[in-house]
Amino acid sequence: MIDREKIVIMISGHIAKNLRGNTPFQNTSEFISYIAFKENQKKI
């Protein structure tokens, strides 16, 4: 099983590389928080 921290770093790097400032989010963690919020809203 892959270490959770490694996955976060890998995904964060991938998102940051692909977005390249073409987003209203200040950083990757804001983007991830937004996605988590939206997923949580689906469950309600």
Side-chain angles (χ1 to χ4, degrees):
M1 194 169 195
I2 299 176
D3 185 351
R4 181 178 278 189
E5 194 171 319
K6 261 184 167 175
I7 293 173
V8 169
I9 292 168
M10 190 171 68
I11 292 171
S12 295
H14 182 73
I15 292 169
K17 185 178 82 174
N18 287 303
L19 292 178
R20 287 193 197 115
N22 297 325
T23 172
F25 304 105
Q26 294 297 315
N27 55 40
T28 307
S29 58
E30 276 188 25
F31 178 68
I32 292 171
S33 297
Y34 172 76
I35 297 299
F37 173 74
K38 286 302 214 177
E39 287 298 316
N40 197 33
Q41 292 299 309
K42 289 180 185 178
K43 295 177 185 174
I44 296 174

